[in-house]
Amino acid sequence: MNKFTVLLLTMSLLTALLSGCTGNTNSSGQTVTPVSETFFIFDTVVTIKIYDKRATTKNFQELEALMKDIDSKINRSNENSEIYAVNANAGIAPVQVSQETFDLVKIAVDYAQQTGGLLDPSIGPLVSLWNIGHEGAHVPPAADIEAAQKLVDYHKIELNEDSLEIYLQDKGMDIDLGSYGKGFAADLIYDYLQAQGFESAIIDLGGNVFAMGNKPGGREWNVGIQHPDQKRGIDIGTLKVTDKSMVTAGIYERFFVENGKTYMHILDPRTGYPVDNNISSVTIIADSSTAADTMDTSLLIMGIEDGLKFAKENNTEALFITKDKKLYATPGFKEMLNKTNDEYTFAN
């Protein structure tokens, strides 16, 4: 599966939300047409729609600069990025980074502690080894997996808040912020729009969607939760939200098939292998896009029972869809969801 197929699959996760964003009316009954721009960044298609006629070309230029700045700092594949420098100096010396990069790595380490290392920012060696989503991906030798696994340990990420320095204790360690970056960027975009006085917008980073405020006229946004089988292009239900971020992690996003077995892109640091369970997707609704972006991945690794418990403890709404078409949800998500597809039923 090539890069652009992946992009199309990811972007279709919340199609009902995005397709419902045109033709909105304000309190006076006037149609409000969004001012929008589309970019290719973070290795995905980014679309920002601002429902305010005051939005200008300058606003979108500043948003593009903001995103490029973030990407230039946290992209581990960019030889000029701060994270690349941190990884290149693993086991050698600490590297001073910007406040934004330091803050994101600190968030990632804190979250790793909360999840007992299930979502570990030092997962980079395993990500590189498996190379899922890229040409030539295959199952690595068990010895290589074991060797990479030994380099995954968030406890060995040293953070010096006074000097904004990050140090990886062992040579070969590698920070990968793929589970955090888009959410972090969405939150910064939200903050920028809010500072500019905008109150209604859709921020879509390749399927990581932040529905800012309400729709014009004060109504809630209508979100469609798509059927995990992307080829079918149908929803299992809808829900209404105000000022929330929605993110979905699914087994269909990036994967390869070898000897009849499917290997998905989400890796379990406990085993060194891709997650292999009965879950097709996890959808998270949260106040923060960073939180949603991290939690969908970690809950997919945790599994249904532990995942639902963790979501409740963190005041987050979650929906699990299983391969046998069962739905498992937090009470809040279940209450919000208007199920429209009878193939899917809530588990007892």
Side-chain angles (χ1 to χ4, degrees), residues 275-306:
V275 173
D276 184 13
N277 54 31
N278 191 39
I279 299 169
S280 289
S281 68
V282 179
T283 298
I284 300 294
I285 299 178
D287 294 330
S288 155
S289 193
T290 306
D293 206 11
T294 54
M295 196 167 289
D296 66 340
T297 305
S298 56
L299 263 59
L300 205 152
I301 298 172
M302 287 180 192
I304 295 169
E305 184 176 349
D306 290 342

Side-chain angles (χ1 to χ4, degrees), residues 70-286:
I70 298 167
D71 189 54
S72 70
K73 290 173 178 174
I74 68 172
N75 187 338
R76 65 191 282 264
S77 300
N78 181 348
E79 294 185 6
N80 297 313
S81 78
E82 295 177 344
I83 287 299
Y84 186 95
V86 170
N87 293 338
N89 283 278
I92 300 172
V95 174
Q96 187 176 55
V97 299
S98 63
Q99 187 70 58
E100 292 86 356
T101 300
F102 187 90
D103 288 346
L104 183 53
V105 174
K106 188 174 187 301
I107 288 170
V109 171
D110 288 345
Y111 197 78
Q113 292 173 340
Q114 290 181 50
T115 61
L118 287 185
L119 194 62
D120 193 317
S122 64
I123 194 78
L126 282 171
V127 172
S128 296
L129 181 65
W130 282 90
N131 201 34
I132 300 175
H134 299 278
E135 207 66 40
H138 62 280
V139 179
D144 292 349
I145 294 173
E146 185 178 351
Q149 211 179 348
K150 291 177 180 178
L151 294 169
V152 180
D153 187 353
Y154 69 92
H155 296 96
K156 295 184 177 181
I157 302 175
E158 295 184 12
L159 301 173
N160 188 325
E161 199 138 12
D162 293 331
S163 62
L164 297 181
E165 288 181 325
I166 301 174
Y167 177 58
L168 306 181
Q169 293 179 4
D170 295 345
K171 196 170 183 59
M173 287 185 69
D174 192 318
I175 290 177
D176 184 313
L177 297 173
S179 296
Y180 314 83
K182 287 197 296 183
F184 186 69
D187 285 337
L188 291 180
I189 292 169
Y190 180 102
D191 292 343
Y192 169 88
L193 295 176
Q194 192 173 58
Q196 298 299 310
F198 301 124
E199 299 178 347
S200 183
I202 292 293
I203 305 162
D204 176 23
L205 282 79
N208 181 324
V209 177
F210 208 136
M212 181 180 186
N214 282 311
K215 295 169 70 173
R219 293 173 297 167
E220 296 171 300
W221 299 102
N222 196 42
V223 185
I225 305 299
Q226 182 138 341
H227 192 298
D229 182 358
Q230 297 297 294
K231 294 179 181 178
R232 299 185 66 175
I234 56 177
D235 298 331
I236 66 150
T238 62
L239 61 159
K240 297 183 183 299
V241 298
T242 294
D243 212 39
K244 294 290 184 181
S245 178
M246 295 137 291
V247 181
T248 297
I251 63 173
Y252 42 76
E253 292 174 11
R254 296 194 303 277
F255 62 89
F256 70 90
V257 179
E258 183 170 311
N259 296 327
K261 181 175 174 60
T262 299
Y263 295 88
M264 64 175 295
H265 72 291
I266 296 176
L267 302 173
D268 187 339
R270 296 170 300 184
T271 65
Y273 284 78
V275 173
D276 184 13
N277 54 31
N278 191 39
I279 299 169
S280 289
S281 68
V282 179
T283 298
I284 300 294
I285 299 178

